[in-house]
Amino acid sequence: MAGFRALFRGLGRAAVPCRTLTLSHARCQHEFTSLEEKPQFPGASAEFVDKLDFIQPNVIAGIPIYRVMDRQGQIMNPEEDPQLPREKVLKFYRTMTLLNTMDRILYESQRQGRISFYMTNYGEEGTHVGSAAALDDTDLVFGQYREAGVLMYRGYPLDLFMSQCYGNSTDPGKGRQMPVHYGCKDLHFVTISSPLATQIPQAVGAAYAIKREKTDRVVICYFGEGAASEGDAHAGFNFAATLECPILFFCRNNGYAISTPTSEQYRGDGIAARGPGYGLMSIRVDGNDVFAVYNAIKEARRRAVAENQPFLIEAMTYRIGHHSTSDDSSAYRSVDEVNYWDKQDHPISRLRHYMLSKSWWDEEQEKSWRKKSRKMVMEAFEQAERKLKPHPDNMFLDVYSEMPASIKKQQESLWRHLKIYGEHYPLEHYEK
Amino acid sequence: MASAGLRILLCRRAAVSSGCERLLPLRRMGPCRQPQRRAVAHFTFQPDPEPTQYGPTQKMNLFQAITSALDNTLSRDPTAVIYGEDVAFGGVFRCTVGLRDKYGKERVFNTPLCEQGIVGFGIGVAVAGATSIAEIQFADYIFPAFDQIVNEAAKYRYRSGNLFNCGSLTIRAPWGCVGHGALYHSQSPEAFFAHCPGIKVVIPRSPVQAKGLLLSCIEDKDPCIFFEPKILYRAAVEQVPVEPYYIPLSQAEVLQEGSDVTLIAWGTQIHVIKEVATMAQEKLGVSCEVIDLRTILPWDLETVCKSVVKTGRLLISHEAPVTGGFASEISSSVQEECFLNLEAPIARVCGYDTPFPHIFEPFYIPDKWKCFDALRKMINY
């Protein structure tokens, strides 16, 4: 254990001077002097050792979890207090709770068969808002699917969340993807896709291109601890380090990938412990502490831009809701376990404690905000439900930048078909 | 993909394939008294007439024509980057020689050895708006990136409602048989990609074609896969314009007009069917129309059908295995469109439904004798 920790620190130290000297790669190369009794292997920079000793992973006392406030919303170390102004903290709170309200209503609407699918964000609202707040608004976001709070923090309208879930005529995605696969070009949030982890190496490529633009932007890439098992995660971490990209890898470790607990996902010290192996600066934070998340991202962002190097942030959370509306999580975990996180250690209630202690919030405001946010969501919901679906021609557009003759022919053939058999199709629900 | 070392070894051998004299003394020391005769190439490269409409030309082989296209792109497009395994020192097939020195290590660089990473990274570069030119060292090793190509690159524009796209991505990969490449240095995987809406798949037959088609791929607004017939890298030499020029995608080219039968192929196989056309004329008095399909997806149905309506007969030939090969798609489409004009069943002369073998390569490939025999039977139908 000690051996591994020493290695971890040593690596961190070695990495810094090399990068600040802007040695582009070939880190710490030796002069080639074969006569010396020093290792000359090109693959690593290390001393010889004359005793057989396997490096043992440290999983019992893992990388510590950085925290700013306790479960009662009390700042633990004043030096770490980001001292955010009241307005900003209120925005955190309103975003988290508005997302929570939207989640409840859309979850219910799926139960009633009004939308086909939904995924809630219960328990992970703090990771979204804390990280989004520490970014610049033009930083490019690549996500997995449980990061709607990032879009919400950036001001994505409720109407458009709903439009996407309903696949109606105002959905910017033109009704082609399943619900919660949001995207927004103006808010620099790259459209979500279902294949897990594919966005990780993509985010690295985007960070490389952004580095060449010299615009002081970063890319942030979110993924769950389950997705981190995909080959694409390995690809992304390694490329980001060797190609020196300004990217923040943000892992939401919520304990489960659908039904699979982390004990069946990995045997190392979570995801954060993998970072040093790739030469990534890494940290683990309390994902239910919005200030801890904020601080970590703020500092990682600053350094990623300045040093063109990647950072890995593992936010420890708990997935309070079911994986999705197609999953009943009571089949593989206890209600007590879920209740603990919902009642005892929730990012929203923790921030509320903080605001109460600052006298920035009270029961009255809580009540009226709940009412107001519910009304806003319901209004958007009802509007979205009333709208028609996009014109069926949208099925054929955007496959390519221009429609090839073959697809044009297929489009014409559909319309010839509908002319005769139209009554057997739900044409009345689609734009004409 | 573990065998980077093997890959380099193989292509270095390919590089000296016609000049094995240096090895002969060693062979004499071996148990065989008679040095083994290397199989002659299964095709004869036939250069096109020198193109005069694009300004001055230079003698180039296929790898040099690729370098020339990449050079033109980097010089005119400051966002363009080239990356992949071993591209920095010039590439294992010499396609990127000199580019790093000329344009800098930020624009021409090695990546870690990881194909899914290369394509995912390339998509990201393109999403950010830069011109992204990825190299997969052999088409055989593109499969680890299949998910990134099929689920991601191909669907980026569609799924986002055109909010995002990776249209400025081009993936280049050496392709096709090479005489001794066996299972993993010989494959022709175009049909796997032909089933994937959203990407373009392009294969040139010569240096002039390679440069013009590659430049079109790089500037096209959709993600493209550009397969380079590696057996032609050095074998094919012709006069190639120095300045950039474009050959349109999704357009087949009628290389030789004829009236009795239509022959379709792409890549190296074009040179095989051109020879078959000559044999058919000489031995059977049959007039063949020869078509280079050039773009596999989206392909040029119109040019092909126009020809078959005229000739009434069609033979399609490709190196890849026959079952699920792209000839099936051409064949069934032509049958649908030209049923009343067809005078014989459409013939497919392709690789067998086996992995691509090492020592049996001469028996595996759909060479001119197999094509000629199928053509003869079709004419007599």
Side-chain angles (χ1 to χ4, degrees):
Chain A
M1 285 178 213
F4 181 74
R5 295 195 70 92
L7 179 78
F8 175 72
R9 287 195 213 103
L11 191 72
R13 221 177 286 144
V16 175
C18 286
R19 289 190 193 280
T20 48
L21 284 171
T22 64
L23 290 177
S24 62
H25 54 98
R27 180 169 68 195
C28 310
Q29 274 190 351
H30 301 278
E31 279 206 2
F32 187 77
T33 47
S34 59
L35 293 177
E36 269 182 70
E37 260 306 298
K38 280 189 164 183
Q40 298 293 338
F41 307 109
S45 167
E47 297 299 318
F48 284 122
V49 59
D50 59 10
K51 190 165 173 292
L52 179 70
D53 189 11
F54 290 100
I55 306 292
Q56 194 172 328
N58 190 349
V59 291
I60 306 298
I63 296 171
I65 302 166
Y66 170 68
R67 210 178 199 201
V68 172
M69 60 179 164
D70 65 17
R71 287 175 195 153
Q72 281 68 49
Q74 298 298 312
I75 299 291
M76 304 177 73
N77 175 359
E79 282 174 27
E80 297 293 321
D81 185 351
Q83 306 205 330
L84 298 173
R86 177 172 177 271
E87 267 321 302
K88 188 148 189 156
V89 174
L90 287 184
K91 184 177 175 183
F92 283 16
Y93 187 74
R94 290 204 181 100
T95 305
M96 288 159 71
T97 47
L98 183 61
L99 174 63
N100 188 265
T101 303
M102 183 176 85
D103 275 349
R104 284 169 202 279
I105 288 168
L106 287 178
Y107 181 81
E108 280 310 313
S109 81
Q110 194 285 331
R111 299 282 91 176
Q112 297 166 10
R114 296 160 88 166
I115 59 174
S116 64
F117 177 79
Y118 195 69
M119 300 176 106
T120 63
N121 301 277
Y122 302 150
E124 300 181 50
E125 297 90 341
T127 60
H128 307 178
V129 168
S131 57
L135 296 169
D136 278 15
D137 285 343
T138 58
D139 290 340
L140 190 60
V141 180
F142 284 78
Q144 178 163 307
Y145 49 60
R146 214 183 294 283
E147 297 92 7
V150 175
L151 263 179
M152 199 162 262
Y153 189 86
R154 287 191 171 183
Y156 198 58
L158 285 170
D159 291 339
L160 292 184
F161 282 110
M162 305 283 173
S163 294
Q164 200 283 327
C165 290
Y166 271 98
N168 68 25
S169 58
T170 48
D171 170 20
K174 305 179 187 171
R176 292 171 185 150
Q177 289 213 86
M178 283 172 77
V180 312
H181 291 56
Y182 309 116
C184 182
K185 194 174 174 60
D186 293 340
L187 299 179
H188 309 279
F189 189 97
V190 178
T191 300
I192 299 297
S193 72
S194 308
L196 288 179
T198 48
Q199 79 279 12
I200 299 175
Q202 293 171 14
V204 176
Y208 189 88
I210 280 171
K211 172 173 83 168
R212 291 201 60 231
E213 287 171 4
K214 297 185 169 52
T215 48
D216 285 352
R217 292 164 71 207
V218 297
V219 173
I220 188 163
C221 178
Y222 297 88
F223 51 94
E225 90 287 349
S229 294
E230 292 279 3
D232 276 333
H234 163 66
F237 299 161
N238 199 26
F239 277 50
T242 59
L243 299 172
E244 297 171 355
C245 298
I247 184 169
L248 315 181
F249 294 114
F250 192 108
C251 178
R252 297 176 292 96
N253 189 335
N254 63 18
Y256 290 91
I258 307 188
S259 73
T260 306
T262 54
S263 59
E264 293 167 22
Q265 198 64 251
Y266 53 72
R267 283 298 163 93
D269 174 23
I271 309 304
R274 295 179 198 170
Y278 290 100
L280 301 179
M281 298 291 288
S282 306
I283 195 168
R284 175 175 279 159
V285 303
D286 182 344
N288 297 339
D289 178 346
V290 69
F291 296 143
V293 175
Y294 176 87
N295 280 354
I297 297 297
K298 191 88 184 160
E299 177 62 4
R301 189 199 180 281
R302 186 187 68 75
R303 291 191 57 185
V305 171
E307 301 161 18
N308 279 326
Q309 71 160 321
F311 284 76
L312 172 63
I313 300 94
E314 181 183 30
M316 308 309 291
T317 61
Y318 186 82
R319 194 195 79 212
I320 292 173
H322 302 300
H323 163 70
S324 73
T325 48
S326 310
D327 168 56
D328 172 10
S329 66
S330 67
Y332 51 81
R333 61 182 188 179
S334 75
V335 177
D336 288 347
E337 180 183 315
V338 177
N339 275 341
Y340 166 78
W341 294 99
D342 196 18
K343 308 286 182 249
Q344 310 288 317
D345 193 359
H346 197 288
I348 292 179
S349 55
R350 205 191 292 193
L351 186 61
R352 191 188 309 126
H353 285 312
Y354 173 84
M355 290 158 63
L356 293 171
S357 72
K358 287 262 190 185
S359 302
W360 288 353
W361 197 248
D362 57 32
E363 273 307 312
E364 197 50 44
Q365 282 168 301
E366 176 72 19
K367 237 189 219 165
S368 79
W369 169 243
R370 281 198 183 197
K371 211 168 143 190
K372 188 180 167 198
S373 59
R374 195 175 160 77
K375 186 160 171 274
M376 285 158 54
V377 173
M378 284 310 296
E379 274 173 13
F381 175 80
E382 280 160 13
Q383 271 184 25
E385 197 164 46
R386 276 200 297 272
K387 283 179 187 155
L388 288 171
K389 309 287 179 206
H391 191 283
D393 275 347
N394 283 293
M395 181 167 76
F396 297 102
L397 294 165
D398 303 329
V399 180
Y400 294 93
S401 60
E402 288 170 30
M403 191 184 288
S406 54
I407 297 182
K408 180 89 190 139
K409 232 171 100 180
Q410 292 163 21
Q411 182 187 21
E412 287 161 4
S413 124
L414 172 67
W415 286 111
R416 273 197 307 277
H417 178 77
L418 290 175
K419 226 173 181 175
I420 304 168
Y421 297 97
E423 59 179 313
H424 304 294
Y425 295 84
L427 277 168
E428 66 278 14
H429 299 309
Y430 292 78
E431 285 194 323
K432 300 240 165 7
Chain B
M1 298 298 98
S3 62
L6 172 66
R7 287 183 233 178
I8 293 172
L9 186 72
L10 182 112
C11 45
R12 293 221 169 116
R13 278 183 59 195
V16 293
S17 60
S18 59
C20 292
E21 297 80 3
R22 284 185 294 150
L23 297 176
L24 286 177
L26 278 176
R27 284 203 180 139
R28 286 199 196 103
M29 290 158 67
C32 302
R33 238 180 253 166
Q34 288 252 311
Q36 278 188 339
R37 187 168 61 94
R38 204 181 180 98
V40 289
H42 71 285
F43 68 98
T44 308
F45 176 74
Q46 299 165 49
D48 288 328
E50 179 180 345
T52 50
Q53 66 270 44
Y54 308 117
T57 63
Q58 224 173 42
K59 204 171 189 184
M60 295 185 204
N61 61 26
L62 195 135
F63 86 65
Q64 289 162 334
I66 300 291
T67 313
S68 173
L70 297 175
D71 189 358
N72 289 157
T73 300
L74 290 171
S75 87
R76 293 186 309 160
D77 177 355
T79 72
V81 289
I82 296 172
Y83 49 88
E85 295 158 13
D86 307 302
V87 301
F89 86 110
V92 297
F93 284 112
R94 320 309 290 149
C95 292
T96 51
V97 167
L99 297 177
R100 185 182 175 91
D101 289 340
K102 193 165 171 188
Y103 296 102
K105 59 185 181 354
E106 204 182 60
R107 301 189 65 193
V108 181
F109 51 92
N110 290 339
T111 65
L113 204 164
C114 179
E115 285 77 12
Q116 65 197 96
I118 292 171
V119 174
F121 177 89
I123 292 171
V125 170
V127 167
T131 297
S132 181
I133 306 169
E135 178 177 306
I136 298 294
Q137 203 161 69
F138 284 81
D140 310 65
Y141 303 123
I142 204 168
F143 299 110
F146 203 68
D147 183 44
Q148 285 284 355
I149 294 170
V150 173
N151 277 330
E152 295 292 317
K155 297 172 174 56
Y156 232 96
R157 187 187 298 276
Y158 187 79
R159 75 181 185 210
S160 69
N162 204 16
L163 293 178
F164 295 93
N165 71 79
C166 60
S168 57
L169 169 68
T170 303
I171 302 165
R172 301 172 35 243
W175 168 95
C177 74
V178 69
H180 52 274
L183 288 80
Y184 307 111
H185 303 83
S186 307
Q187 290 183 56
S188 302
E190 62 271 18
F192 286 105
F193 296 103
H195 196 54
C196 176
I199 50 171
K200 296 187 177 178
V201 182
V202 179
I203 307 173
R205 68 171 185 275
S206 70
V208 170
Q209 292 287 310
K211 180 172 173 181
L213 287 167
L214 178 56
L215 282 170
S216 292
C217 283
I218 291 169
E219 299 208 6
D220 193 81
K221 301 281 179 265
D222 296 303
C224 294
I225 301 177
F226 188 76
F227 286 128
E228 298 162 5
K230 59 181 158 308
I231 202 166
L232 299 179
Y233 272 139
R234 287 164 186 274
V237 182
E238 60 187 4
Q239 290 295 128
V240 179
V242 178
E243 292 300 310
Y245 60 95
Y246 301 91
I247 296 174
L249 306 185
S250 293
Q251 279 188 25
E253 183 183 6
V254 180
L255 296 178
Q256 177 183 318
E257 301 214 3
S259 53
D260 297 328
V261 57
T262 302
L263 307 182
I264 295 180
W266 49 89
T268 318
Q269 197 66 9
I270 280 296
H271 304 294
V272 174
I273 62 167
K274 270 175 106 173
E275 212 171 327
V276 171
T278 308
M279 290 160 72
Q281 187 67 58
E282 286 170 359
K283 295 179 197 288
L284 309 171
V286 165
S287 158
C288 296
E289 182 141 306
V290 178
I291 298 180
D292 181 358
L293 192 64
R294 301 198 289 199
T295 300
I296 307 299
L297 187 75
W299 65 288
D300 183 1
L301 176 71
E302 199 186 327
T303 300
V304 173
C305 287
K306 211 172 132 193
S307 173
V308 177
V309 164
K310 180 175 72 176
T311 62
R313 287 183 171 82
L314 174 62
L315 182 149
I316 312 153
S317 182
H318 57 61
E319 284 177 17
V322 63
T323 301
F326 197 65
S328 317
E329 178 58 39
I330 299 174
S331 169
S332 65
S333 298
V334 169
Q335 188 265 148
E336 278 172 15
E337 299 289 328
C338 311
F339 188 70
L340 294 176
N341 306 91
L342 282 172
E343 290 167 24
I346 296 169
R348 291 181 290 161
V349 187
C350 306
Y352 300 116
D353 287 337
T354 68
F356 199 107
H358 186 218
I359 57 165
F360 308 116
E361 176 165 331
F363 305 104
Y364 177 84
I365 52 173
D367 64 8
K368 63 184 178 187
W369 296 109
K370 291 178 186 170
C371 290
F372 175 76
D373 189 50
L375 182 140
R376 189 180 58 78
K377 287 171 180 158
M378 184 169 61
I379 291 295
N380 295 332
Y381 184 82

